[in-house]
């Protein structure tokens, strides 16, 4: 199973870091923080100390998420407020790119920290397992977020696929592709037509656009989820 995990981790890291290796470095940093914090939690018996390490881990990974997602928003708001009071000096904005999938692997790692803290998941000493749990490429970019007590046991045991899993995984992938590229994209043509000039449309047509857009969004996400679940089945996982 270790060989399977190493190969899958390498594939996941290559998949994520191919566009920009700096994004991969951030993923590894967040994984490392969570790994160390959980070992500290597991080594302590005092509730207050365990809680301290849990809060350190939660605040550290959430702080990374908040920095990338909201730094420019809050700094821009503060600058505008300062200008309204006559101040000319401003805090420098940073040219930040929000790493793709950041929210999903952050919340997945939070699940691991909190599950260990609450005693619902054992601390894992093998860093390969935790790294794969955070970087598992079918769910890395857009979820779904998997609880550690559901995904980690599957990483720890050998995996194989048979004719049934090959059939069900392929069927889910094809179903998802059909939902996304046939139905949802077809609905998008009508939705875009309606909302290109909404002020000139009758109320009934606008209502049609609302319902069709709802169906389009649902089918986009439902199709994506089917594709992800099918891909995981082909790798021996159930998500």
């Amino acid at each position: 199973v270790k060989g399977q995990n190493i190969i899958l981790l390498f594939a996941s890291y290559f998949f994520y870091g191919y566009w920009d290796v700096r994004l991969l470095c951030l993923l590894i940093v967040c994984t490392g923080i969570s790994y160390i914090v959980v070992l500290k939690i597991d080594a302590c018996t005092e509730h207050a100390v365990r809680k301290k390490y849990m809060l350190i881990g939660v605040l550290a990974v959430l702080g990374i998420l908040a920095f990338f997602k909201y730094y420019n928003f809050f700094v821009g708001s503060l600058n505008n407020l300062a200008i309204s009071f006559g101040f000319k000096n401003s805090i420098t904005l940073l040219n930040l790119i929000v790493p793709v999938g950041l929210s999903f692997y952050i919340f997945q790692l939070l699940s691991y920290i909190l599950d260990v803290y609450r005693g619902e998941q054992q601390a894992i000493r093998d860093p390969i397992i935790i790294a794969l749990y955070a970087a598992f490429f079918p769910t890395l970019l857009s979820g779904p977020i998997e609880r550690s007590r559901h995904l980690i046991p599957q990483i720890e045991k050998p995996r194989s696929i048979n004719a049934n899993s090959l059939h069900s995984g392929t069927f889910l992938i094809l179903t998802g592709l059909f939902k996304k590229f046939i139905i949802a994209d077809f609905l998008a043509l009508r939705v875009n037509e309606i909302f290109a000039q909404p002020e000139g449309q009758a109320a009934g047509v606008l209502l049609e656009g609302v319902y069709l857009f709802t169906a389009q969004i649902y089918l986009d996400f439902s199709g994506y989820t089917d594709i992800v679940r099918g891909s995981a089945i082909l790798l021996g996982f159930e998500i």
Side-chain angles (χ1 to χ4, degrees):
V1 68
K2 189 162 186 126
Q4 287 183 325
N5 290 340
I6 290 173
I7 292 171
L8 191 52
L9 178 62
F10 177 80
S12 297
Y13 276 174
F14 179 80
F15 170 76
Y16 191 68
Y18 182 77
W19 181 56
D20 191 332
V21 72
R22 291 173 297 180
L23 304 184
L24 178 58
C25 293
L26 184 63
L27 170 60
I28 293 173
V29 167
C30 293
T31 304
I33 291 171
S34 304
Y35 176 77
I36 293 169
V37 164
V38 164
L39 291 183
K40 292 290 188 181
I41 293 172
D42 187 60
C44 298
T45 55
E46 289 186 40
H47 176 72
V49 179
R50 286 170 57 87
K51 186 175 183 180
K52 179 187 77 173
Y53 282 120
M54 181 272 292
L55 290 174
I56 290 173
V58 169
L59 292 175
V61 293
L62 279 182
I64 292 172
L65 175 65
F67 176 76
F68 278 93
K69 281 217 162 189
Y70 303 113
Y71 174 85
N72 281 344
F73 171 77
F74 284 113
V75 167
S77 300
L78 285 173
N79 286 342
N80 291 335
L81 182 64
I83 290 171
S84 68
F85 281 98
F87 295 100
K88 292 184 178 180
N89 292 331
S90 62
I91 305 172
T92 303
L93 295 174
L94 299 178
N95 187 25
L96 292 175
I97 298 175
V98 180
V100 62
L102 177 64
S103 300
F104 294 97
Y105 69 73
I106 287 290
F107 284 112
Q108 191 137 307
L109 288 169
L110 282 176
S111 164
Y112 174 57
I113 294 172
L114 294 173
D115 281 350
V116 172
Y117 171 72
R118 290 193 293 250
E120 297 173 355
Q121 164 68 44
Q122 288 185 336
I124 305 299
R125 302 197 173 275
D126 185 348
I128 299 295
I129 293 176
I130 299 307
L132 181 55
Y133 168 71
F136 185 52
F137 76 84
T139 63
L140 179 57
L141 299 186
S142 297
I145 297 167
E146 285 292 311
R147 298 302 297 263
S148 64
R149 59 180 180 266
H150 180 242
L151 185 56
I152 287 179
Q154 298 184 67
I155 297 174
E156 291 178 310
K157 65 183 182 182
R159 300 170 296 275
S160 61
I161 61 171
N162 51 37
N164 288 333
S165 58
L166 184 63
H167 174 269
S168 59
T170 303
F171 178 77
L172 273 173
I173 291 172
L174 293 176
T175 301
L177 291 171
F178 180 80
K179 288 178 180 177
K180 163 60 183 164
F181 292 107
I182 304 299
I183 306 178
D185 285 3
F186 175 76
L187 294 178
L189 297 175
R190 178 59 177 158
V191 170
N192 293 338
E193 179 186 345
I194 292 172
F195 290 114
Q197 292 183 316
E199 65 280 356
Q201 306 289 354
V205 175
L206 290 175
L207 191 60
E208 174 195 354
V210 169
Y211 284 123
L212 289 180
F213 183 62
T214 302
Q216 176 197 341
I217 293 297
Y218 168 77
L219 289 164
D220 272 340
F221 281 99
S222 176
Y224 161 80
T225 304
D226 287 345
I227 294 169
V228 168
R229 290 181 59 222
S231 301
I233 289 173
L234 295 181
L235 293 170
F237 292 88
E238 180 69 36
I239 62 173

